[in-house]
């Protein structure tokens, strides 16, 4: 196993399993990429990509984990560059984080508190935008790093590092008929008015697709752009909602009960978004160290 093999595998994944697109990006031959990936799989003793004849058709469950670690190793190389170029960033006193409202409100406070305690001279700027705007902010240089629930972007110039995952729950006002249930089904949920995210938001599309796959049509009473507005309306008894569990467990929603539906809706994630074409500053690297558990597990540079 070597860095070239890992880079080839990651690039194929980034390019929608297209070896030809990966070859253009890497300035390498298609046969060479395929051979190196096959050699990587043989050295690991497992399959990363599923195939139909000579065409990649998907990524195996173990392959997803391997690619996550591979991205970390490649990012680690960028971090080494950041250390070596420390003098270039000596005068930089600001770190700009592009993120969504939910991540800023419920995920980042503990991380930012730790960062401020460790690096009190660094000014932090939390830029609240939509997931597509996160990529725009990073690639344009407006932001140093992104924190997003979305793991798929049109741009192939970003690294996506998965930090954590969490379930969605049914959020109901206390006293609601579902509040006493240990868990509920979609058929139960669909009986009640629902408050959800605006349809333009990816998490809303996930929810609607889950209902559609079961042949159910939810009664959408209200839509909003952020979780705090949604929970306000839930407390007023205007409906129930499907929200990330961190919104209920991390908020001050004493009048809202979370009812579990593990495995029904796709899990949500917190992902770090990095621009591959720019060496991260030292303060950016330090933020990643706090944000990304795999760094602290010792896996980033060792690849273990």
């Amino acid at each position: 196993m070597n860095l070239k093999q890992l880079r080839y595998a990651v690039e194929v994944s980034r390019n929608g399993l297209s070896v030809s697109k990966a070859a253009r990006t890497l300035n390498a031959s298609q046969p060479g990429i395929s051979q190196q990936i096959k050699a990587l799989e043989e050295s690991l003793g497992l399959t990363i990509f599923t195939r139909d004849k000579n065409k990649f058709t998907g990524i195996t469950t173990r392959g997803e984990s391997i690619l996550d670690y591979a991205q970390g190793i490649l990012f680690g190389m960028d971090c080494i560059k950041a250390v070596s170029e420390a003098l270039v960033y000596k005068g930089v006193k600001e770190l700009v984080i592009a993120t969504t409202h939910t991540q800023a409100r419920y995920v980042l406070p503990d991380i930012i508190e730790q960062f401020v305690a460790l690096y009190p001279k660094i000014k932090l700027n939390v830029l609240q935008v939509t997931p597509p705007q996160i990529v725009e902010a990073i690639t344009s240089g407006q932001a140093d790093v992104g924190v997003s629930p979305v793991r798929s972007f049109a741009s192939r110039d970003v690294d996506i590092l998965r930090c954590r995952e969490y379930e969605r729950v049914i959020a109901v006002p206390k006293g609601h008929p579902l509040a006493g249930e240990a868990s509920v089904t979609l058929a139960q949920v669909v009986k009640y008015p629902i408050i959800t995210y605006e349809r333009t938001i990816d998490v809303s599309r996930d929810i609607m697709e889950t209902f559609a796959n079961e042949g159910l049509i939810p009664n959408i009473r209200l839509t909003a752009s952020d979780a705090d507005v949604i929970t306000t309306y839930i407390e007023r008894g205007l409906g129930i909602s499907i929200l990330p569990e961190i919104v209920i467990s991390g908020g001050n929603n004493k009048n809202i009960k979370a009812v579990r539906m593990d495995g029904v809706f796709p899990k949500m994630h917190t992902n770090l978004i990095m621009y591959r074409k720019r060496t991260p500053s030292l303060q950016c690297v330090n933020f990643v160290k706090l944000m990304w558990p795999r760094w602290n597990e010792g896996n980033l540079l060792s690849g273990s």
Side-chain angles (χ1 to χ4, degrees), residues 85-137:
E85 297 174 7
L87 290 177
V88 176
Y89 300 99
K90 188 175 180 180
V92 178
K93 299 296 183 181
E94 183 179 34
L95 176 67
V96 182
I97 305 163
T99 189
T100 63
H101 169 86
T102 298
Q103 301 295 316
R105 170 70 176 81
Y106 297 102
V107 176
L108 286 178
D110 288 344
I111 301 297
I112 287 178
E113 184 177 6
Q114 294 176 55
F115 188 92
V116 169
L118 291 169
Y119 312 104
K121 295 183 179 180
I122 302 297
K123 176 185 176 183
L124 286 177
N125 181 357
V126 179
L127 182 66
Q128 291 187 43
V129 292
T130 64
Q133 290 172 332
I134 290 174
V135 174
E136 293 175 11

Side-chain angles (χ1 to χ4, degrees), residues 213-225:
N213 290 338
E214 295 296 321
L216 299 172
I217 301 175
N219 175 16
I220 305 299
R221 171 173 284 177
L222 287 167
T223 62
S225 60

Side-chain angles (χ1 to χ4, degrees), residues 21-35:
K21 290 181 180 178
R24 287 195 295 271
T25 302
L26 295 164
N27 194 26
S29 70
Q30 294 184 48
I33 290 177
S34 297
Q35 290 168 8

Side-chain angles (χ1 to χ4, degrees), residues 4-262:
K4 178 185 285 188
Q5 293 170 346
L6 296 177
R7 193 176 299 279
Y8 283 4
V10 167
E11 202 62 46
V12 168
S13 173
R14 285 180 180 140
N15 283 275
L17 305 180
S18 172
V19 177
S20 61
K21 290 181 180 178
R24 287 195 295 271
T25 302
L26 295 164
N27 194 26
S29 70
Q30 294 184 48
I33 290 177
S34 297
Q35 290 168 8
Q36 289 292 331
I37 290 176
K38 184 178 180 181
L40 173 62
E41 291 177 324
E42 289 176 351
S43 69
L44 294 172
L46 55 82
T47 301
I48 296 174
F49 297 99
T50 57
R51 295 167 171 82
D52 182 5
K53 296 181 180 179
N54 294 323
K55 183 178 180 181
F56 293 126
T57 58
I59 303 172
T60 66
T61 301
R62 288 185 176 182
E64 288 279 3
S65 296
I66 294 297
L67 292 172
D68 276 345
Y69 281 112
Q71 286 191 81
I73 292 169
L74 296 175
F75 176 69
M77 300 301 293
D78 288 335
C79 294
I80 292 172
K81 292 179 184 177
V83 173
S84 68
E85 297 174 7
L87 290 177
V88 176
Y89 300 99
K90 188 175 180 180
V92 178
K93 299 296 183 181
E94 183 179 34
L95 176 67
V96 182
I97 305 163
T99 189
T100 63
H101 169 86
T102 298
Q103 301 295 316
R105 170 70 176 81
Y106 297 102
V107 176
L108 286 178
D110 288 344
I111 301 297
I112 287 178
E113 184 177 6
Q114 294 176 55
F115 188 92
V116 169
L118 291 169
Y119 312 104
K121 295 183 179 180
I122 302 297
K123 176 185 176 183
L124 286 177
N125 181 357
V126 179
L127 182 66
Q128 291 187 43
V129 292
T130 64
Q133 290 172 332
I134 290 174
V135 174
E136 293 175 11
I138 293 170
T139 55
S140 68
Q142 185 182 5
D144 301 292
V145 62
V147 180
S148 171
V150 177
R151 240 198 138 195
S152 177
F153 297 99
S155 174
R156 294 192 299 271
D157 293 332
V158 295
D159 282 320
I160 303 170
L161 310 176
R162 183 168 55 193
C163 297
R164 62 180 290 188
E165 63 180 24
Y166 34 85
E167 300 283 352
R168 289 182 168 105
V169 296
I170 306 301
V172 303
K174 288 191 174 179
H176 190 275
L178 297 181
E181 301 286 343
S183 64
V184 295
T185 65
L186 282 178
Q188 289 175 283
V189 172
V190 81
K191 294 178 181 179
Y192 301 95
I194 293 175
I195 305 167
T196 187
Y197 290 99
E198 294 175 353
R199 293 180 183 272
T200 55
I201 300 175
D202 284 350
V203 292
S204 175
R205 289 196 289 269
D206 286 347
I207 291 169
M208 297 304 292
E209 286 176 5
T210 301
F211 280 110
N213 290 338
E214 295 296 321
L216 299 172
I217 301 175
N219 175 16
I220 305 299
R221 171 173 284 177
L222 287 167
T223 62
S225 60
D226 70 64
D228 287 345
V229 173
I230 292 174
T231 54
T232 296
Y233 289 126
I234 294 172
E235 289 182 320
R236 295 294 182 97
L238 297 176
I240 65 176
S241 188
I242 299 98
L243 293 171
E245 61 180 348
I246 55 170
V247 171
I248 308 304
S249 62
N252 298 314
N253 306 299
K254 297 180 180 179
N255 297 316
I256 295 178
K257 173 75 182 296
V259 183
R260 302 198 70 85
M261 289 190 73
D262 292 355

